[in-house]
Amino acid sequence: MGKLLSVAAVAALFALATPAILAPRTTSGRTIQRSDLQYDRAARQRLILWTARHKGRWPLAVYIHGGGWSAGDPAAGGGDKPRHFLDRGYVYASVTYRFVPDVTVEEQIGDVARSIAWLRANAGHIGADPDRIVLVGHSSGAHLAALLASDPQWLAAAKVPFAAIRAVALLDGAGFDVPTLMAPYPGETMPYYGKAFGTGEARRLRLSPIAHLAAPNAPAWLFLQDAARFTGYAEAEALARPLRAAGATTLIVPVPDSSHMRLNEDLGRPGDFATARLDAFLDQVMR
């Protein structure tokens, strides 16, 4: 495992990284800077950080992309999302991780946990509050976010206080209950899931957020579901019900006139239905 970088090393990385302007300014007039950085040694252990000059410590939004555990790119966290989060007073990062089958799902979760540790360790340099973090995950990235927010072992291994995760927003999530989802498929034949979770029933359950919902959990959970995917609400409710019983705040929002991919692509756009629900939820739970 690579070591977290010192503040001096981070400053050097920022100097070497080529700043890119996402958009000239935020709505409030702040210049936006994008930097591509490594949080560990492997090529895929990297993140894109969007910052704007500000006073004090802003909460940190960490986006985790999807891709069936075997593909994807942190650019999926781009589009209108960075400027929107900066406008809302958040430092914003989109992280990537190594893929199945080169690594296991367990190692992927460890990668994301280490990216959060890196961001926390360097929070002073980027103007972030290390103890007010929102995880935003799409598709299989929502599975990774939900595991981090429900099973404390992963953040503990990266020396991240579990209480630092203040809220979770899951965009049309996948893999909340892996054994149930894979039950109709023999062996490892289910697309994406087969390579990621294999044939072992115990491992499938261990890597399911639904198996880790006794307290502690992250205190606030938002599920933004494609309204046309009729099983999505039931899957979200199966996860949300025990979370509520354990004391968490949960909200499930079916998103109309969208799709699995559009829900992610449209997030952050002015007038977007899901974005407005996300903003209202975070305003409530991040006070």
Side-chain angles (χ1 to χ4, degrees):
M1 180 188 301
K3 294 182 179 179
L4 295 177
L5 300 178
S6 67
V7 171
V10 173
L13 271 178
F14 271 95
L16 290 171
T18 303
I21 301 303
L22 167 73
R25 296 185 184 276
T26 65
T27 301
S28 59
R30 294 182 175 92
T31 300
I32 299 172
Q33 178 175 300
R34 164 184 159 156
S35 299
D36 291 75
L37 299 165
Q38 294 285 140
Y39 62 83
D40 214 329
R41 300 181 185 279
R44 293 197 184 277
Q45 291 172 318
R46 64 187 181 89
L47 59 86
I48 305 174
L49 179 71
W50 285 269
T51 59
R53 183 171 294 180
H54 60 276
K55 295 180 180 179
R57 298 287 188 97
W58 282 358
L60 174 64
V62 180
Y63 174 89
I64 308 167
H65 67 77
W69 302 277
S70 58
D73 192 277
D80 293 284
K81 288 185 278 294
R83 180 162 58 177
H84 181 79
F85 274 100
L86 290 168
D87 278 338
R88 303 286 298 180
Y90 287 79
V91 175
Y92 179 75
S94 178
V95 306
T96 193
Y97 42 86
R98 294 168 295 168
F99 297 150
V100 170
D102 295 332
V103 300
T104 64
V105 173
E106 290 89 339
E107 290 172 299
Q108 288 186 333
I109 303 166
D111 282 357
V112 179
R114 286 198 295 281
S115 77
I116 295 169
W118 190 96
L119 288 162
R120 290 187 78 255
N122 299 292
H125 187 76
I126 63 177
D129 185 338
D131 295 320
R132 286 198 296 157
I133 298 174
V134 178
L135 300 181
V136 182
H138 173 239
S139 192
S140 59
H143 164 263
L144 300 177
L147 265 179
L148 287 170
S150 61
D151 185 354
Q153 68 165 309
W154 305 108
L155 292 175
K159 296 181 172 55
V160 174
F162 190 70
I165 307 302
R166 298 282 297 275
V168 188
L170 307 178
L171 312 180
D172 213 38
F176 298 153
D177 182 352
V178 175
T180 298
L181 289 167
M182 294 188 72
Y185 294 82
E188 300 180 35
T189 61
M190 186 175 183
Y192 299 111
Y193 285 76
K195 289 182 179 179
F197 300 103
T199 58
E201 191 75 11
R203 178 171 178 260
R204 290 176 179 180
L205 184 61
R206 188 170 64 250
L207 291 173
S208 298
I210 203 164
H212 302 284
L213 299 184
N217 299 298
W221 296 66
L222 173 65
F223 300 81
L224 294 168
Q225 300 293 136
D226 172 16
R229 191 168 69 89
F230 299 113
T231 60
Y233 189 95
E235 292 168 3
E237 177 59 22
L239 191 63
R241 191 183 310 111
L243 283 167
R244 288 195 298 270
T249 297
T250 67
L251 177 64
I252 304 173
V253 179
V255 180
D257 303 319
S258 190
S259 69
H260 181 69
M261 296 305 295
R262 270 194 60 195
L263 201 159
N264 179 65
E265 292 164 0
D266 289 348
L267 200 72
R269 290 182 181 173
D272 176 59
F273 177 92
T275 302
R277 301 315 184 271
L278 173 64
D279 292 346
F281 185 78
L282 293 181
D283 286 348
Q284 174 188 351
V285 302
M286 294 294 290
R287 290 178 296 192

